[in-house]
Amino acid sequence: MMRNSIVVRSTIAVACLAMVCTGCFGGDRSSRALVQNKGSDTLVNVAQAWAENYHSLNPNVGVAVSGGGSGTGFAALINDTVDIANASRDITIEEQEKIRKANGVEALEHTVAIDAVVFFVHASNPLDSISFEQLACIYAEGGTCKQWGDIGTEVPGCSGQEIIRVSRQSNSGTYAFVREEVLGKEIDFKLGSRDLSGSKDVVDLVGTTPCAIGYSGLGYGTDEVKALCIARKTGAACVTPTLATAEDGTYALARPLFMYTLGEPQGAVAAYLEWIKSPAGQKIVSDNGFVPLS
Amino acid sequence: MSTAVEHHRFSATPVTEKSHRRQSAAKAFLGVSTALLLVPLAAIIGLLLTHGWSAITAEFLLDAPTAGMTAGGIYPAIIGTLWLIAVSLGVAAPIGIMAGIYLNEYAPDNWITRIINLAIVNLAGVPSIVHALFGVGAFVLFLGLGTNILSASLTLAVMTLPVIIASTKEALASVPLAFRHASWALGASRWQTIWNIVLPNSVSGILTGVILQVSRAAGETAPIMFTGAAFYLPFLPQSVQDQCMALSMHLFTVSTQVPNVPEAFPYATALVLLTLVITFNFLSISLRTYLRARRKW
Amino acid sequence: MTDTTSGTPQGQVSIARRISALAEPLIELLIRICGFSAIFFVFGIFFFVFSSGAEFMLHRLEFGEFLTSPEWYPTSVTNKRYGTLALMAGTLSVTSLAMFIAVPFGLGTAVFISEFCEGPFKEGLKITVEFLAAIPSVVWGFIGLAIMNPAIIKTFDAPIGLNVLNGGIILGLMSVPIIVSIGEDALKAVPDTYREASLALGATKWQTVYKVLFPAARSGLLAAVLLGVGRAIGETIAVLMATGHAVQIPSGPLDSVRTLTATIAAELGETAQGGDHYQALFAIGVLLFIFTFAVNLTADLLVRGIRNK
């Protein structure tokens, strides 16, 4: 029993030591400012890149980045637990109401980047361009296009020529945007599409599935997928999504990405937002495949 | 086949021969199916090693992620996971052990106790996402703790409670009643008996349960996703009121949300997480075996 | 306890005894409170999950549609629909496939370990099964995503590898350890006298197993399977990563589905807190809680049944 208690005591001692030591790392905290940044998953990678770069320029300011979705960001804004909320959609009237009720101020919207929503197909898919009507035929509730033959293509390596629709989960800002622009706001997506929860997920899936078509952000493209040239009407000239065409508005599916603050930002938060909108911050936007503000 | 002259030896009849053949077949079949079960375990470890080993370097283990999480390392995630383990078990272990003591030493055999036991079994079966919903509703919002290590750890603590209670009960039950009787006969009170006699003799079982739950706390993702784990943090957590990164969360985000990550990275992260979990499991099992061997009854 | 210690100053002894006399009831009170904590947490979970969605559930949710409609359109602009039938079909299909794999393997291994193994080999096998149980669900999900996805596409010439089959296999492997350990406990609980009597009558070990032990341990084995089912229903992250996320009723194992758990995990972040969609997700949480509660209650009653025999 003596050795019993020695074993027990040493285990407890090691555990305590471990707990204490995890607090030893990290350095002096007193002079640091921490900006809390939460929200959209579309923005999370750029937000992280901004945070990392800004921290190397200003070691005393740290930005903590979390994803979780645009809704999480707004929820945190309501509870005043976050300094900046990232969003890939507009704030809803209900959310604005709640923020006003809880905090006495309204949420202020800052446009920080522009995103081009791109429809990708597998690299081996011979299809090059597609129109809004064809997309609606594939994706919309009541749409009749189920095989690649219905669009007029044949995809090598695709068994059964079945169109595998890849989409986002139903309350993603990206999903709402595509519904509004491509399908028509009143029409819903057809059920049965693979509704993935990340922009990268979509591209990964399309890249490994010859039968697939999916939509994601311009910055998420890889060599395994091809971005489709989009035409508003069948037969009309199509526009290929690039940084240029998104910036000048010729590409149909460009949308702004936002950061929201409670009222006017102050201090470190204001400086951070300034930097994001500056050329240095916008360079990071284009490095990550989004479209910088002009 | 035996004649009356020879010793009477049991010789197989066709019926028994068939039964024996059936048994050998069954035994072989069961053995193969058990082995087949172990194939996935070996395959997983093998695949993780082959794909991920190349990324395991000192930098990977000791650096923070850089270049948009596509380079650097996973150090903050490791530290975050250690924080979560320490705080969640720091809360769950005392409560769970005391609950186990109550159930085995004090509780009368009535309907209330039955309900408590039922509650424990049900708590063990609650889906992890429902735990997450509870964590958000109770700790983040209702108690106003916010999203940080404290909320996440409390959520994890509620998840790990049932197993700690169950293993404490079992460990205490394995101490012979005679020990308690002897102690009571000498005039010790109930608590004195527990503290001086029963607990020291059941420490192995209790510790086994607690250490086993370390793996659970380290591996869960859903409960910490909405209550305290962050995608990226520039500083390491300094107190329980900070957020943290975590290995499980990191594996999830790196394999589903971050583009252009080198192929080996998620495999390496999974490997580190798996190693952590299996090490604690191994520790728990060794402790159990060692202390059981030393038991004198 | 009488004051019989001699040779010790009276004052010291009584102080120590006074402290312990005070402390002991306090400690015992603390223990009692902790003992009730499990009930407190279970009810707490149900209460918080229910109340977070209560307003929507009680006033606006149409339960008929909720339980029988396959159309899940919580964010539609013109036509919000909250039907969870497709999601329940997703959970059901993945869980069924998982049990199809886990039950034979799990029970088979339980029998093998319990009846046909001895000594260190037995311990070794049990430890390996424990390791299988320790693998975190996110690692399983990652395996489904990175390894099984391409494997399924190649082997079955399927258009996509994230489907019921992928999720089912992974969930099956995750549920096996529970079935093995509880099944083994159930078999161990059958008194040795049964085995000895059977063998004495000339039965082989295998005959003993399926003619004597299975019927005797029937409830415990069923409880093991039920707990495995509970595990499979409740799994979140692994199915989130491996089942392909399509809101549809699957027509075969190669179809993608979405489970109840994955729906909550995927959509909770993007909803406006307190909004209808948010509360609808909590309603799904209540549904899940009820399912797993029912499964666990049944399993518990079964186990209690054998104990009372």
Side-chain angles (χ1 to χ4, degrees):
Chain A
M1 195 140 124
M2 272 295 279
R3 267 189 245 164
N4 218 351
S5 53
I6 291 180
V7 170
V8 171
R9 281 182 210 169
S10 34
T11 315
I12 297 178
V14 168
C16 288
L17 204 65
M19 272 165 66
V20 166
C21 276
T22 54
C24 301
F25 303 110
D28 171 35
R29 202 194 182 196
S30 48
S31 59
R32 298 192 310 195
L34 188 66
V35 177
Q36 281 288 357
N37 183 356
K38 234 185 246 198
S40 162
D41 281 326
T42 306
L43 266 176
V44 79
N45 292 302
V46 179
Q48 194 268 339
W50 276 327
E52 203 185 307
N53 272 276
Y54 194 69
H55 186 54
S56 55
L57 296 173
N58 302 282
N60 276 335
V61 181
V63 182
V65 178
S66 298
S70 307
T72 314
F74 289 130
L77 215 53
I78 295 172
N79 298 319
D80 196 14
T81 53
V82 86
D83 297 304
I84 302 178
N86 301 334
S88 62
R89 58 168 171 86
D90 282 306
I91 190 171
T92 62
I93 307 178
E94 295 91 28
E95 284 163 336
Q96 194 64 286
E97 259 304 305
K98 288 208 173 101
I99 290 181
R100 203 192 343 246
K101 238 187 258 176
N103 299 291
V105 284
E106 281 208 346
L108 196 59
E109 178 183 286
H110 311 262
T111 311
V112 292
I114 298 181
D115 182 26
V117 173
V118 176
F119 279 86
F120 292 104
V121 290
H122 194 258
S124 65
N125 192 327
L127 191 67
D128 279 319
S129 70
I130 199 166
S131 71
F132 274 16
E133 278 157 62
Q134 289 171 313
L135 284 171
C137 181
I138 295 175
Y139 273 99
E141 195 177 13
T144 50
C145 302
K146 295 205 173 70
Q147 311 276 68
W148 282 110
D150 298 333
I151 313 277
T153 354
E154 200 182 312
V155 183
C158 172
S159 72
Q161 293 300 310
E162 185 195 336
I163 302 182
I164 305 254
R165 293 161 284 136
V166 185
S167 180
R168 293 291 306 281
Q169 84 273 26
S170 68
N171 53 350
S172 143
T174 316
Y175 172 100
F177 178 72
V178 169
R179 182 179 59 203
E180 192 169 325
E181 297 295 316
V182 177
L183 304 183
K185 208 168 181 180
E186 318 282 296
I187 303 182
D188 284 312
F189 277 86
K190 200 190 308 183
L191 285 176
S193 51
R194 273 80 179 169
D195 306 329
L196 306 182
S197 55
S199 308
K200 169 181 132 92
D201 274 348
V202 172
V203 173
D204 278 350
L205 191 56
V206 174
T208 50
T209 313
C211 292
I213 177 171
Y215 58 86
S216 183
L218 181 60
Y220 290 89
T222 60
D223 294 330
E224 280 85 35
V225 297
K226 186 195 326 184
L228 287 175
C229 184
I230 309 267
R232 283 192 191 268
K233 289 203 173 337
T234 322
C238 73
V239 182
T240 316
T242 61
L243 289 178
T245 55
E247 210 166 339
D248 64 28
T250 49
Y251 182 62
L253 296 174
R255 59 169 178 164
L257 298 173
F258 306 109
M259 282 183 156
Y260 284 84
T261 52
L262 276 178
E264 280 292 334
Q266 316 281 339
V269 177
Y272 186 51
L273 277 168
E274 273 298 311
W275 178 82
I276 287 179
K277 295 190 214 175
S278 74
Q282 292 297 306
K283 168 148 191 334
I284 295 179
V285 169
S286 49
D287 282 347
N288 276 276
F290 291 92
V291 182
L293 306 167
S294 41
Chain B
M1 265 108 183
S2 63
T3 62
V5 178
E6 295 186 4
H7 321 278
H8 274 288
R9 232 181 343 159
F10 173 71
S11 50
T13 62
V15 173
T16 45
E17 249 170 39
K18 186 160 105 172
S19 311
H20 277 278
R21 254 182 286 131
R22 281 232 183 101
Q23 168 164 279
S24 312
K27 192 170 170 186
F29 181 67
L30 288 176
V32 165
S33 93
T34 307
L36 273 179
L37 206 59
L38 308 176
V39 164
L41 183 61
I44 290 172
I45 298 183
L47 281 163
L48 288 181
L49 276 172
T50 14
H51 288 265
W53 184 250
S54 52
I56 306 241
T57 57
E59 291 85 51
F60 187 72
L61 295 173
L62 297 173
D63 279 347
T66 55
M69 311 263 261
T70 58
I74 55 171
Y75 184 65
I78 299 179
I79 296 290
T81 299
L82 291 176
W83 267 94
L84 287 172
I85 292 174
V87 180
S88 68
L89 282 178
V91 172
I95 298 181
I97 294 175
M98 285 199 277
I101 294 177
Y102 174 73
L103 286 169
N104 197 61
E105 306 289 323
Y106 288 93
D109 197 8
N110 58 15
W111 63 275
I112 301 185
T113 310
R114 277 188 62 175
I115 293 190
I116 298 180
N117 281 313
L118 189 66
I120 295 174
V121 171
N122 274 286
L123 196 59
V126 172
S128 52
I129 190 71
V130 178
H131 276 290
L133 290 176
F134 171 65
V136 169
F139 300 125
V140 176
L141 295 178
F142 183 69
L143 290 180
L145 298 174
T147 53
N148 47 35
I149 294 182
L150 189 59
S151 293
S153 301
L154 289 175
T155 314
L156 285 174
V158 175
M159 281 191 89
T160 54
L161 209 54
V163 175
I164 296 182
I165 298 180
S167 52
T168 306
K169 255 174 55 181
E170 234 182 79
L172 293 171
S174 76
V175 176
L177 208 51
F179 282 35
R180 295 180 185 81
H181 286 168
S183 175
W184 295 336
L186 289 171
S189 75
R190 205 169 212 171
W191 172 247
Q192 285 173 327
T193 309
I194 295 175
W195 181 251
N196 292 302
I197 308 288
V198 180
L199 272 183
N201 279 305
S202 47
V203 146
S204 64
I206 296 177
L207 263 183
T208 307
V210 172
I211 297 180
L212 220 55
Q213 287 311 91
V214 168
S215 324
R216 185 98 193 269
E220 284 291 338
T221 316
I224 57 176
M225 240 161 64
F226 302 107
T227 52
F231 183 77
Y232 169 75
L233 290 173
F235 306 127
L236 289 172
Q238 293 290 292
S239 78
V240 291
Q241 298 202 298
D242 291 333
Q243 293 169 297
C244 64
M245 290 173 71
L247 277 174
S248 49
M249 178 79 178
H250 195 75
L251 177 59
F252 179 69
T253 50
V254 147
S255 53
T256 57
Q257 275 179 342
V258 182
N260 303 322
V261 175
E263 202 214 342
F265 263 41
Y267 285 98
T269 311
L271 204 55
V272 171
L273 181 57
L274 204 58
T275 309
L276 187 72
V277 159
I278 290 199
T279 306
F280 275 108
N281 257 49
F282 190 68
L283 210 71
S284 154
I285 292 171
S286 318
L287 196 63
R288 182 174 72 203
T289 322
Y290 168 72
L291 290 171
R292 193 176 290 174
R294 296 190 42 71
R295 223 196 279 183
K296 293 186 190 75
W297 67 87
Chain C
M1 300 230 306
T2 53
D3 212 336
T4 53
T5 51
S6 55
T8 346
Q10 274 269 336
Q12 271 187 339
V13 171
S14 63
I15 288 179
R17 200 168 297 133
R18 229 178 283 154
I19 294 178
S20 76
L22 271 175
E24 229 179 84
L26 276 175
I27 295 178
E28 292 190 341
L29 180 65
L30 194 60
I31 289 181
R32 217 166 282 267
I33 293 177
C34 288
F36 282 83
S37 62
I39 304 186
F40 174 65
F41 283 124
V42 169
F43 277 114
I45 291 179
F46 184 74
F47 170 73
F48 275 105
V49 175
F50 183 77
S51 66
S52 297
E55 194 229 333
F56 172 72
M57 277 193 282
L58 298 174
H59 298 264
R60 288 191 289 284
L61 183 61
E62 295 163 29
F63 278 101
E65 181 198 50
F66 190 63
L67 296 173
T68 57
S69 161
E71 295 174 358
W72 176 253
Y73 282 110
T75 54
S76 168
V77 177
T78 46
N79 187 9
K80 289 200 205 297
R81 284 160 279 178
Y82 297 99
T84 59
L85 192 65
L87 304 175
M88 288 199 277
T91 300
L92 190 67
S93 56
V94 177
T95 304
S96 311
L97 185 56
M99 287 302 111
F100 198 68
I101 298 175
V103 170
F105 276 103
L107 290 181
T109 306
V111 168
F112 187 68
I113 291 181
S114 165
E115 306 299 319
F116 292 101
C117 284
E118 316 264 305
F121 186 55
K122 184 171 177 170
E123 281 303 308
L125 272 181
K126 285 172 74 166
I127 291 178
T128 320
V129 170
E130 268 179 54
F131 279 155
L132 202 64
I135 298 181
S137 51
V138 64
V139 175
W140 281 114
F142 175 66
I143 301 280
L145 201 57
I147 296 173
M148 297 211 47
N149 184 7
I152 290 182
I153 294 181
K154 219 185 295 177
T155 333
F156 294 93
D157 195 26
I160 188 172
L162 298 179
N163 46 31
V164 176
L165 186 63
N166 196 339
I169 293 178
I170 290 184
L171 268 190
L173 289 172
M174 291 175 84
S175 310
V176 162
I178 285 195
I179 297 182
V180 170
S181 78
I182 299 194
E184 208 224 318
D185 278 348
L187 288 169
K188 210 171 15 178
V190 177
D192 271 339
T193 48
Y194 282 43
R195 292 181 183 81
E196 288 162 6
S198 173
L199 291 175
L201 286 171
T204 62
K205 236 183 195 173
W206 171 240
Q207 284 172 326
T208 310
V209 166
Y210 75 83
K211 282 198 201 287
V212 177
L213 295 180
F214 270 176
R218 182 180 53 224
S219 347
L221 292 175
L222 194 54
V225 170
L226 279 177
L227 285 171
V229 168
R231 176 90 172 86
I233 293 181
E235 180 48 48
T236 310
I237 286 289
V239 292
L240 182 64
M241 293 165 89
T243 50
H245 273 270
V247 181
Q248 61 179 359
I249 300 182
S251 53
L254 294 176
D255 272 349
S256 301
V257 289
R258 205 197 296 181
T259 61
L260 293 165
T261 47
T263 305
I264 302 178
E267 295 184 4
L268 190 64
E270 292 271 4
T271 49
Q273 201 174 65
D276 278 1
H277 188 182
Y278 178 87
Q279 296 194 49
L281 292 177
F282 274 85
I284 296 184
V286 173
L287 201 63
L288 272 172
F289 187 84
I290 293 176
F291 281 161
T292 47
F293 190 84
V295 167
N296 281 309
L297 184 62
T298 318
D300 186 66
L301 288 174
L302 280 172
V303 170
R304 201 167 295 283
I306 29 169
R307 280 214 206 112
N308 286 339
K309 271 205 200 119

